[in-house]
Amino acid sequence: MSMSMMPLSTDACATAIGELDITSLPLETRFPPFRLRQYGGFWLLEKFLQGVPAVHSIFEPRPSDVLLASFPKCGTTWLKALAFATRNRAEHPLRGLDHPLRRRNPHDIVQYLELQYAQSMGHVVAALPSPRVLSTHLPYSLLPGRITAEESGCRIVYICRDPKDAFVSSWFFTKKTVAAAAARARTGEEPPPYTFEEAFELFCDGICVSGPLWRHVLGYWEASRRQPEKVLFLRYEEMLRNPESNVKKLAEFMGCAFSVQEEATGVVQDIVELCSLESLKNMDVNKSGSHGPLAHESFFRKGVPGDWSNHITPAMAERLDKIVEDALQGSGFTFDVREASA
Ligand code: PAP
């Protein structure tokens, strides 16, 4: 049985999380600079996994919370910027020169829940004023029931992307991150200790941060079908094609729909503009500085659909498409936006 088809027991994971001994979990070190541990059918960043028990036992969701969930390199940074700007537009006027997005990287504004708890920063999460915008790379099956239960009231927004583009994006991101670490250690611009082809093999085997991608996506997609008022499922490509209607959808879902007057005065366009790749990429704060070991500028590259075709051979693309298609068979979900209903 391939890993992507392995059955997954959410209850079994949840029960075990309290007694989680991370050092006893399967370890994957072929993906430097990231150390991955396998848990609940996913390869998770060891550093993030350390915070998962506390997310389950200590984190208290509020009905007004919005949790942004994503597989890495699928549009997280953009979604963080859009959701924050939309939710806080009254407090932070979009054209204001001191808007938080002009001073801070989106990842410093909307933090990863599990990373905060891993770094003993749970008190910071607890002290955030409502409404909070939080984020996670955790799969749906590893979220605490206190978040996923209908009665918790908090909402989840998920963003997905063509796996081929997510893979290519992660390759460039990893290359930059490894080079930056080498520069810090003054060992020069070192390439990742594996080739593009080796990284592709690992990705196809589901061995990458939060992998396998298709299982991650499926968990949230199924949840969005079961609980459409609770889980909003977005597609990166669709958002690029029509950012304004997706921002409106996002605002409605978060319970802060735009008024007629806001729409007439161009508030939606202001949000789209402020959060565009060009705008964020060119802000001083994102040209320098770092989020932990990750340089701010490494989160912004091309931001286009289909860049995979410049890097992946047709044979590789066909292989990955087939793996994904097989894994998704019978689910009703497809990455092909022409066929998709979500
Ligand atoms: P993360 O999961 O590590 O936070 P994430 O933000 O999901 O990464 O993905 C980065 C991708 O989003 C990059 O795609 P690319 O490598 O194919 O170019 C990045 O360029 C793109 N991106 C970042 N910010 C924006 C934005 N404001 N609008 C559109 N795309 C963006």
Side-chain angles (χ1 to χ4, degrees), residues 55-88:
V55 169
H56 278 250
S57 59
I58 303 172
F59 173 66
E60 290 195 16
R62 300 176 197 155
S64 58
D65 284 346
V66 171
L67 181 65
L68 310 177
S70 61
F71 187 88
K73 314 327 290 179
C74 290
T76 322
T77 315
W78 190 20
L79 181 60
K80 285 185 177 189
L82 290 172
F84 178 85
T86 302
R87 198 94 197 262
N88 296 287

mmCIF file of all heavy atoms in Angstrom, residues 55-88:
data_model
loop_
_atom_site.group_PDB
_atom_site.id
_atom_site.type_symbol
_atom_site.label_atom_id
_atom_site.label_comp_id
_atom_site.label_asym_id
_atom_site.label_seq_id
_atom_site.Cartn_x
_atom_site.Cartn_y
_atom_site.Cartn_z
ATOM 1 N N VAL A 55 -0.826 22.715 21.487
ATOM 2 C CA VAL A 55 -1.973 23.228 20.715
ATOM 3 C C VAL A 55 -3.225 22.432 21.112
ATOM 4 O O VAL A 55 -4.314 22.979 21.223
ATOM 5 C CB VAL A 55 -1.714 23.135 19.188
ATOM 6 C CG1 VAL A 55 -2.975 23.400 18.392
ATOM 7 C CG2 VAL A 55 -0.614 24.109 18.767
ATOM 8 N N HIS A 56 -3.020 21.142 21.358
ATOM 9 C CA HIS A 56 -4.161 20.296 21.750
ATOM 10 C C HIS A 56 -4.582 20.513 23.197
ATOM 11 O O HIS A 56 -5.756 20.486 23.512
ATOM 12 C CB HIS A 56 -3.817 18.816 21.522
ATOM 13 C CG HIS A 56 -4.015 18.409 20.099
ATOM 14 N ND1 HIS A 56 -5.032 17.573 19.698
ATOM 15 C CD2 HIS A 56 -3.342 18.755 18.979
ATOM 16 C CE1 HIS A 56 -4.963 17.420 18.379
ATOM 17 N NE2 HIS A 56 -3.944 18.124 17.921
ATOM 18 N N SER A 57 -3.594 20.694 24.075
ATOM 19 C CA SER A 57 -3.964 20.727 25.499
ATOM 20 C C SER A 57 -4.174 22.141 26.039
ATOM 21 O O SER A 57 -4.950 22.333 26.962
ATOM 22 C CB SER A 57 -2.885 20.020 26.331
ATOM 23 O OG SER A 57 -1.639 20.678 26.136
ATOM 24 N N ILE A 58 -3.499 23.132 25.468
ATOM 25 C CA ILE A 58 -3.555 24.475 26.068
ATOM 26 C C ILE A 58 -4.335 25.485 25.228
ATOM 27 O O ILE A 58 -5.083 26.297 25.757
ATOM 28 C CB ILE A 58 -2.116 25.019 26.297
ATOM 29 C CG1 ILE A 58 -1.328 24.061 27.180
ATOM 30 C CG2 ILE A 58 -2.164 26.422 26.924
ATOM 31 C CD1 ILE A 58 0.141 24.416 27.312
ATOM 32 N N PHE A 59 -4.153 25.453 23.902
ATOM 33 C CA PHE A 59 -4.754 26.481 23.041
ATOM 34 C C PHE A 59 -6.276 26.498 23.190
ATOM 35 O O PHE A 59 -6.932 25.460 23.084
ATOM 36 C CB PHE A 59 -4.373 26.241 21.578
ATOM 37 C CG PHE A 59 -5.094 27.144 20.624
ATOM 38 C CD1 PHE A 59 -4.876 28.518 20.634
ATOM 39 C CD2 PHE A 59 -6.027 26.627 19.718
ATOM 40 C CE1 PHE A 59 -5.560 29.365 19.771
ATOM 41 C CE2 PHE A 59 -6.714 27.462 18.850
ATOM 42 C CZ PHE A 59 -6.480 28.830 18.875
ATOM 43 N N GLU A 60 -6.793 27.681 23.418
ATOM 44 C CA GLU A 60 -8.256 27.814 23.534
ATOM 45 C C GLU A 60 -8.795 28.646 22.390
ATOM 46 O O GLU A 60 -8.602 29.862 22.354
ATOM 47 C CB GLU A 60 -8.611 28.473 24.864
ATOM 48 C CG GLU A 60 -8.320 27.546 26.022
ATOM 49 C CD GLU A 60 -8.981 27.999 27.307
ATOM 50 O OE1 GLU A 60 -9.897 28.831 27.255
ATOM 51 O OE2 GLU A 60 -8.535 27.504 28.347
ATOM 52 N N PRO A 61 -9.441 27.979 21.430
ATOM 53 C CA PRO A 61 -9.989 28.747 20.298
ATOM 54 C C PRO A 61 -11.135 29.644 20.747
ATOM 55 O O PRO A 61 -11.829 29.321 21.718
ATOM 56 C CB PRO A 61 -10.470 27.667 19.332
ATOM 57 C CG PRO A 61 -10.529 26.405 20.093
ATOM 58 C CD PRO A 61 -9.702 26.539 21.319
ATOM 59 N N ARG A 62 -11.285 30.762 20.046
ATOM 60 C CA ARG A 62 -12.423 31.651 20.310
ATOM 61 C C ARG A 62 -13.341 31.593 19.092
ATOM 62 O O ARG A 62 -12.859 31.409 17.971
ATOM 63 C CB ARG A 62 -11.944 33.096 20.484
ATOM 64 C CG ARG A 62 -10.968 33.275 21.621
ATOM 65 C CD ARG A 62 -10.474 34.728 21.669
ATOM 66 N NE ARG A 62 -9.263 34.834 22.458
ATOM 67 C CZ ARG A 62 -8.360 35.794 22.321
ATOM 68 N NH1 ARG A 62 -8.533 36.759 21.430
ATOM 69 N NH2 ARG A 62 -7.283 35.812 23.069
ATOM 70 N N PRO A 63 -14.642 31.808 19.295
ATOM 71 C CA PRO A 63 -15.564 31.740 18.154
ATOM 72 C C PRO A 63 -15.195 32.719 17.042
ATOM 73 O O PRO A 63 -15.499 32.480 15.882
ATOM 74 C CB PRO A 63 -16.911 32.110 18.777
ATOM 75 C CG PRO A 63 -16.765 31.830 20.233
ATOM 76 C CD PRO A 63 -15.319 32.037 20.576
ATOM 77 N N SER A 64 -14.503 33.795 17.379
ATOM 78 C CA SER A 64 -14.155 34.790 16.352
ATOM 79 C C SER A 64 -12.832 34.486 15.649
ATOM 80 O O SER A 64 -12.435 35.206 14.727
ATOM 81 C CB SER A 64 -14.082 36.182 16.987
ATOM 82 O OG SER A 64 -13.130 36.176 18.037
ATOM 83 N N ASP A 65 -12.135 33.424 16.056
ATOM 84 C CA ASP A 65 -10.838 33.100 15.434
ATOM 85 C C ASP A 65 -10.993 32.692 13.969
ATOM 86 O O ASP A 65 -11.955 32.005 13.607
ATOM 87 C CB ASP A 65 -10.174 31.913 16.153
ATOM 88 C CG ASP A 65 -9.568 32.291 17.493
ATOM 89 O OD1 ASP A 65 -9.405 33.487 17.772
ATOM 90 O OD2 ASP A 65 -9.256 31.348 18.265
ATOM 91 N N VAL A 66 -9.997 33.071 13.179
ATOM 92 C CA VAL A 66 -9.890 32.534 11.818
ATOM 93 C C VAL A 66 -8.523 31.875 11.720
ATOM 94 O O VAL A 66 -7.502 32.504 12.024
ATOM 95 C CB VAL A 66 -10.011 33.642 10.747
ATOM 96 C CG1 VAL A 66 -9.686 33.079 9.375
ATOM 97 C CG2 VAL A 66 -11.419 34.212 10.739
ATOM 98 N N LEU A 67 -8.520 30.605 11.332
ATOM 99 C CA LEU A 67 -7.272 29.861 11.205
ATOM 100 C C LEU A 67 -6.971 29.673 9.718
ATOM 101 O O LEU A 67 -7.758 29.064 8.992
ATOM 102 C CB LEU A 67 -7.417 28.498 11.901
ATOM 103 C CG LEU A 67 -6.180 27.597 11.891
ATOM 104 C CD1 LEU A 67 -5.036 28.211 12.702
ATOM 105 C CD2 LEU A 67 -6.517 26.210 12.457
ATOM 106 N N LEU A 68 -5.841 30.206 9.273
ATOM 107 C CA LEU A 68 -5.446 30.063 7.859
ATOM 108 C C LEU A 68 -4.594 28.800 7.751
ATOM 109 O O LEU A 68 -3.557 28.702 8.414
ATOM 110 C CB LEU A 68 -4.643 31.282 7.405
ATOM 111 C CG LEU A 68 -5.276 32.638 7.715
ATOM 112 C CD1 LEU A 68 -4.336 33.767 7.270
ATOM 113 C CD2 LEU A 68 -6.639 32.776 7.023
ATOM 114 N N ALA A 69 -5.034 27.853 6.961
ATOM 115 C CA ALA A 69 -4.321 26.580 6.858
ATOM 116 C C ALA A 69 -3.816 26.385 5.437
ATOM 117 O O ALA A 69 -4.488 26.764 4.475
ATOM 118 C CB ALA A 69 -5.263 25.433 7.239
ATOM 119 N N SER A 70 -2.631 25.802 5.345
ATOM 120 C CA SER A 70 -2.078 25.593 3.997
ATOM 121 C C SER A 70 -0.992 24.541 4.023
ATOM 122 O O SER A 70 -0.372 24.301 5.055
ATOM 123 C CB SER A 70 -1.451 26.898 3.475
ATOM 124 O OG SER A 70 -0.406 27.287 4.343
ATOM 125 N N PHE A 71 -0.767 23.961 2.870
ATOM 126 C CA PHE A 71 0.429 23.171 2.621
ATOM 127 C C PHE A 71 1.490 24.195 2.219
ATOM 128 O O PHE A 71 1.173 25.160 1.504
ATOM 129 C CB PHE A 71 0.162 22.189 1.472
ATOM 130 C CG PHE A 71 1.281 21.222 1.258
ATOM 131 C CD1 PHE A 71 1.313 20.020 1.955
ATOM 132 C CD2 PHE A 71 2.306 21.521 0.374
ATOM 133 C CE1 PHE A 71 2.355 19.126 1.763
ATOM 134 C CE2 PHE A 71 3.355 20.629 0.181
ATOM 135 C CZ PHE A 71 3.383 19.435 0.883
ATOM 136 N N PRO A 72 2.740 24.023 2.656
ATOM 137 C CA PRO A 72 3.757 25.029 2.329
ATOM 138 C C PRO A 72 3.873 25.312 0.823
ATOM 139 O O PRO A 72 3.723 24.407 0.001
ATOM 140 C CB PRO A 72 5.054 24.398 2.857
ATOM 141 C CG PRO A 72 4.606 23.472 3.943
ATOM 142 C CD PRO A 72 3.269 22.942 3.503
ATOM 143 N N LYS A 73 4.110 26.565 0.518
ATOM 144 C CA LYS A 73 4.336 27.080 -0.846
ATOM 145 C C LYS A 73 3.081 27.077 -1.720
ATOM 146 O O LYS A 73 3.151 27.018 -2.945
ATOM 147 C CB LYS A 73 5.460 26.306 -1.585
ATOM 148 C CG LYS A 73 6.728 26.035 -0.831
ATOM 149 C CD LYS A 73 7.165 27.049 0.152
ATOM 150 C CE LYS A 73 7.668 28.349 -0.337
ATOM 151 N NZ LYS A 73 8.024 29.238 0.821
ATOM 152 N N CYS A 74 1.944 27.138 -1.074
ATOM 153 C CA CYS A 74 0.684 27.139 -1.832
ATOM 154 C C CYS A 74 -0.047 28.477 -1.756
ATOM 155 O O CYS A 74 -1.202 28.574 -2.172
ATOM 156 C CB CYS A 74 -0.220 26.016 -1.325
ATOM 157 S SG CYS A 74 0.401 24.386 -1.779
ATOM 158 N N GLY A 75 0.619 29.503 -1.207
ATOM 159 C CA GLY A 75 -0.030 30.819 -1.141
ATOM 160 C C GLY A 75 -0.249 31.320 0.277
ATOM 161 O O GLY A 75 -1.019 32.262 0.502
ATOM 162 N N THR A 76 0.456 30.716 1.228
ATOM 163 C CA THR A 76 0.305 31.074 2.645
ATOM 164 C C THR A 76 0.553 32.561 2.904
ATOM 165 O O THR A 76 -0.263 33.231 3.552
ATOM 166 C CB THR A 76 1.337 30.280 3.486
ATOM 167 O OG1 THR A 76 1.465 28.970 2.963
ATOM 168 C CG2 THR A 76 0.950 30.254 4.938
ATOM 169 N N THR A 77 1.677 33.059 2.414
ATOM 170 C CA THR A 77 2.076 34.442 2.696
ATOM 171 C C THR A 77 1.021 35.408 2.175
ATOM 172 O O THR A 77 0.642 36.367 2.846
ATOM 173 C CB THR A 77 3.438 34.734 2.012
ATOM 174 O OG1 THR A 77 4.326 33.642 2.260
ATOM 175 C CG2 THR A 77 4.048 36.017 2.524
ATOM 176 N N TRP A 78 0.552 35.146 0.979
ATOM 177 C CA TRP A 78 -0.470 36.001 0.356
ATOM 178 C C TRP A 78 -1.770 35.961 1.160
ATOM 179 O O TRP A 78 -2.368 36.993 1.468
ATOM 180 C CB TRP A 78 -0.705 35.511 -1.083
ATOM 181 C CG TRP A 78 -1.535 36.411 -1.933
ATOM 182 C CD1 TRP A 78 -1.782 37.743 -1.723
ATOM 183 C CD2 TRP A 78 -2.206 36.053 -3.142
ATOM 184 N NE1 TRP A 78 -2.575 38.229 -2.731
ATOM 185 C CE2 TRP A 78 -2.842 37.215 -3.615
ATOM 186 C CE3 TRP A 78 -2.320 34.869 -3.875
ATOM 187 C CZ2 TRP A 78 -3.590 37.230 -4.787
ATOM 188 C CZ3 TRP A 78 -3.058 34.871 -5.047
ATOM 189 C CH2 TRP A 78 -3.694 36.042 -5.501
ATOM 190 N N LEU A 79 -2.180 34.738 1.522
ATOM 191 C CA LEU A 79 -3.425 34.587 2.283
ATOM 192 C C LEU A 79 -3.324 35.287 3.638
ATOM 193 O O LEU A 79 -4.270 35.924 4.102
ATOM 194 C CB LEU A 79 -3.740 33.093 2.463
ATOM 195 C CG LEU A 79 -5.030 32.768 3.208
ATOM 196 C CD1 LEU A 79 -6.258 33.340 2.482
ATOM 197 C CD2 LEU A 79 -5.195 31.252 3.378
ATOM 198 N N LYS A 80 -2.149 35.196 4.267
ATOM 199 C CA LYS A 80 -1.958 35.873 5.557
ATOM 200 C C LYS A 80 -2.151 37.384 5.383
ATOM 201 O O LYS A 80 -2.832 38.036 6.179
ATOM 202 C CB LYS A 80 -0.553 35.591 6.111
ATOM 203 C CG LYS A 80 -0.393 34.196 6.688
ATOM 204 C CD LYS A 80 0.984 34.006 7.326
ATOM 205 C CE LYS A 80 1.099 32.625 7.954
ATOM 206 N NZ LYS A 80 2.316 32.446 8.770
ATOM 207 N N ALA A 81 -1.539 37.923 4.345
ATOM 208 C CA ALA A 81 -1.644 39.367 4.106
ATOM 209 C C ALA A 81 -3.094 39.759 3.818
ATOM 210 O O ALA A 81 -3.630 40.701 4.421
ATOM 211 C CB ALA A 81 -0.729 39.757 2.944
ATOM 212 N N LEU A 82 -3.745 39.024 2.931
ATOM 213 C CA LEU A 82 -5.125 39.356 2.540
ATOM 214 C C LEU A 82 -6.090 39.256 3.728
ATOM 215 O O LEU A 82 -6.910 40.149 3.946
ATOM 216 C CB LEU A 82 -5.606 38.407 1.431
ATOM 217 C CG LEU A 82 -4.973 38.581 0.052
ATOM 218 C CD1 LEU A 82 -5.403 37.436 -0.874
ATOM 219 C CD2 LEU A 82 -5.347 39.929 -0.572
ATOM 220 N N ALA A 83 -5.963 38.173 4.484
ATOM 221 C CA ALA A 83 -6.893 37.971 5.606
ATOM 222 C C ALA A 83 -6.678 39.024 6.684
ATOM 223 O O ALA A 83 -7.631 39.580 7.223
ATOM 224 C CB ALA A 83 -6.724 36.563 6.184
ATOM 225 N N PHE A 84 -5.409 39.311 6.969
ATOM 226 C CA PHE A 84 -5.129 40.311 8.000
ATOM 227 C C PHE A 84 -5.620 41.689 7.566
ATOM 228 O O PHE A 84 -6.281 42.404 8.319
ATOM 229 C CB PHE A 84 -3.629 40.351 8.317
ATOM 230 C CG PHE A 84 -3.290 41.409 9.334
ATOM 231 C CD1 PHE A 84 -3.407 41.137 10.692
ATOM 232 C CD2 PHE A 84 -2.913 42.684 8.937
ATOM 233 C CE1 PHE A 84 -3.139 42.123 11.636
ATOM 234 C CE2 PHE A 84 -2.646 43.674 9.877
ATOM 235 C CZ PHE A 84 -2.759 43.399 11.231
ATOM 236 N N ALA A 85 -5.295 42.065 6.338
ATOM 237 C CA ALA A 85 -5.694 43.394 5.847
ATOM 238 C C ALA A 85 -7.217 43.529 5.817
ATOM 239 O O ALA A 85 -7.768 44.583 6.162
ATOM 240 C CB ALA A 85 -5.107 43.629 4.455
ATOM 241 N N THR A 86 -7.891 42.459 5.416
ATOM 242 C CA THR A 86 -9.355 42.486 5.311
ATOM 243 C C THR A 86 -10.003 42.559 6.693
ATOM 244 O O THR A 86 -10.872 43.389 6.950
ATOM 245 C CB THR A 86 -9.846 41.217 4.570
ATOM 246 O OG1 THR A 86 -9.222 41.169 3.282
ATOM 247 C CG2 THR A 86 -11.351 41.204 4.402
ATOM 248 N N ARG A 87 -9.540 41.698 7.571
ATOM 249 C CA ARG A 87 -10.156 41.608 8.903
ATOM 250 C C ARG A 87 -9.931 42.878 9.719
ATOM 251 O O ARG A 87 -10.751 43.265 10.531
ATOM 252 C CB ARG A 87 -9.542 40.404 9.636
ATOM 253 C CG ARG A 87 -10.357 39.920 10.821
ATOM 254 C CD ARG A 87 -11.262 38.827 10.377
ATOM 255 N NE ARG A 87 -12.354 38.530 11.274
ATOM 256 C CZ ARG A 87 -12.360 37.561 12.165
ATOM 257 N NH1 ARG A 87 -11.295 36.817 12.337
ATOM 258 N NH2 ARG A 87 -13.419 37.324 12.897
ATOM 259 N N ASN A 88 -8.783 43.521 9.515
ATOM 260 C CA ASN A 88 -8.417 44.667 10.357
ATOM 261 C C ASN A 88 -8.490 45.994 9.623
ATOM 262 O O ASN A 88 -7.805 46.946 9.985
ATOM 263 C CB ASN A 88 -7.008 44.446 10.924
ATOM 264 C CG ASN A 88 -6.961 43.240 11.847
ATOM 265 O OD1 ASN A 88 -7.459 43.294 12.958
ATOM 266 N ND2 ASN A 88 -6.424 42.148 11.342
#
